[in-house]
Amino acid sequence: MKLFRCQHCEQVLYFENRQCQNCLHRLGYLPAAGTLSAVEPDDRVWRALASPTRRYRFCDTAGYDACNWLVPVDSPEAFCVVCRHNRIVPDLSLTDNLTRWRKCELAKHRLFYTLIRLDLALPSRAEDPRYGLVFDFRADAPGAGGHRVMTGHQDGLITINLWEADDAEREKLRSAMGETYRTLLGHLRQEAGHYFWDRLVRDTGRIETFREFFGDERQDYPKALQGHYAKGPAQDWQASHISSYAAAHPWEDFAETWAHYLHIVDTLEMAFAFGIRVRPGIDERSGPAIVPDFDPHDPGNMNRLIEAWLPLTFAVNSIIRCMGESDFYPFVLSPRTVTKLGFIHALIHQDRPT
Ligand SMILES: [Zn+2]
Ligand SMILES: [Zn+2]
C-alpha cells in the first residue's frame, strides 16, 4: 500500500481516509490512476483534483460509508470496480451487520488495490456469468440451531461469514484452531487464492507444474480437511508449508501461499513508502542495507522481494516485542516455501513457471 497526499494541501493521507484532516476536502479513490484524490463539488457530481478533466460520482456503497472509490460520471455502473462484485450483503438495518460489513469492505478494497496493481483480470458476474468473481457477505442465522455460514470459495463465489469481522470472535477462533495468524484481510487474500488457482493454474494448463510444487490436488479434499482438524498437520510442516493449514491439502497450500505473496508485496510497498531501510543482518559486515528502489508489484524476480522482506520481518518482530505484543510476522519462510512463492510470482507475472 502507498501513502497518498492531498492534492489541495499536501497533507499525507491513508487509503481509507474519507476526508483530508487538514483542509477538509472530501476524498475519493481513483482506481485507474491508483491514487486517492481530493474532490470538489461540480454541479451535483464531483471533480477530482488528481484528474481534473473528468467528473465523477461516488460508488453507491459510499452511502453506507463502506467505500470511498469514484466512478466516472458517464459510467452506467452504480458501483465502483470493487463493489460491483458484491452479490449478497447482510441486512444492513442491523447495526452489528453494518459495522462488520464495513470492516469486510475495508479489507476487500485493500485486496482489490493489490490485485489491480498486479494487473490481474477481475471479471464481474455481469462480464463472466459463469466464473466472474463475486462476494457474499453473510451472517449466521440466529439461534443455536440456525444455519452457519461457511467462509470459502466455489467457482468464483467468495463467501465470508460476518463473524470474521468481529475481532473478539476471530481471536477466539484463531486460538481454538491453534493458528498464529488470522485476519479479515488474510481471509480475503486466501479465498482470492482459490479463485486464481482456477483461473491461472487449472484453466491455463499449468496443473502438472503446480503438482511439482504443491503436490497432487486430486486427493480427497473433504477427507484431507477432516484429517487436518482431527489430527493436526505433520510435525515437520514448517519445512515445506507457510502455515499448518497449508499442509491440509495442495489447494489450501496454494491459497495460503498466494495470500502470503500478497502480504509481502503490500507490506513492502508501505515500508518503502516510509523510506524504511533495513540491513540484512545486524552489523556492517552483513552488507549494505536493502535499498527500496523497486516496485514490489513488479520486482523483476522473486529473490528481490525475499531479500527485502526477511530483514524487514526480523526488524519489525523485534520492535513489536518491545511493546509486549505478539509477533507481527509469526511465520517461517523455508526454502521450499520460497520456491512455492516463486511459482506464484511467475504465475502473476505471466512467466512460465521454472
Ligand atoms: Zn487537504
Ligand atoms: Zn465501491
Side-chain angles (χ1 to χ4, degrees), residues 59-62 66-69 71 79-84 105 109:
C59 168
D60 265 14
T61 307
C67 177
N68 63 343
W69 288 36
V71 183
F79 296 103
C80 74
V81 294
V82 180
C83 296
R84 72 188 58 158
E105 287 297 337
H109 282 69

Side-chain angles (χ1 to χ4, degrees), residues 244-266:
S244 60
Y245 186 58
H249 188 277
W251 281 336
E252 297 305 338
D253 193 8
F254 180 87
E256 291 278 286
T257 313
W258 172 279
H260 213 81
Y261 185 86
L262 269 51
H263 294 339
I264 292 174
V265 166
D266 196 37

Side-chain angles (χ1 to χ4, degrees), residues 71-125:
V71 183
V73 79
D74 51 6
S75 165
E77 299 279 355
F79 296 103
C80 74
V81 294
V82 180
C83 296
R84 72 188 58 158
H85 291 272
N86 284 355
R87 191 179 73 160
I88 295 176
V89 297
D91 178 356
L92 300 175
S93 65
L94 303 174
T95 309
D96 280 349
N97 281 357
L98 180 58
T99 306
R100 289 170 190 154
W101 176 60
R102 277 189 187 132
K103 286 188 189 174
C104 290
E105 287 297 337
L106 289 181
K108 178 162 136 271
H109 282 69
R110 280 190 169 248
L111 166 71
F112 271 73
Y113 168 85
T114 306
L115 299 178
I116 291 169
R117 292 291 309 279
L118 291 171
D119 211 14
L120 290 160
L122 296 161
S124 65
R125 273 294 150 108

Side-chain angles (χ1 to χ4, degrees), residues 242 257 260-265 268 272 278-281 290 294-296 299-314 329 332-345:
I242 191 62
T257 313
H260 213 81
Y261 185 86
L262 269 51
H263 294 339
I264 292 174
V265 166
L268 272 182
F272 289 177
V278 184
R279 283 187 190 283
I290 302 299
F294 65 93
D295 177 0
N301 64 65
M302 186 65 214
N303 285 346
R304 232 168 160 203
L305 288 179
I306 298 297
E307 280 168 9
W309 180 240
L310 290 179
L312 179 71
T313 61
F314 180 46
Y329 189 68
V332 174
L333 274 188
S334 69
R336 275 200 61 192
T337 303
V338 172
T339 65
K340 292 175 185 178
L341 285 164
F343 174 82
I344 285 167
H345 174 82

Side-chain angles (χ1 to χ4, degrees), residues 144-204:
H147 174 70
R148 295 283 170 264
V149 175
M150 292 294 292
T151 291
H153 166 266
Q154 180 80 50
D155 296 332
L157 168 63
I158 290 175
T159 304
I160 301 290
N161 184 326
L162 276 196
W163 270 121
E164 291 292 346
D166 183 290
D167 294 344
E169 190 64 24
R170 193 180 57 254
E171 178 58 20
K172 216 163 82 185
L173 275 171
R174 187 195 66 73
S175 177
M177 303 280 216
E179 296 169 349
T180 56
Y181 175 90
R182 190 179 184 98
T183 67
L184 201 45
L185 182 55
H187 276 307
L188 284 158
R189 287 178 173 160
Q190 209 262 14
E191 299 306 341
H194 289 298
Y195 171 76
F196 282 104
W197 186 87
D198 287 358
R199 299 283 80 80
L200 302 179
V201 178
R202 186 194 64 189
D203 297 349
T204 57

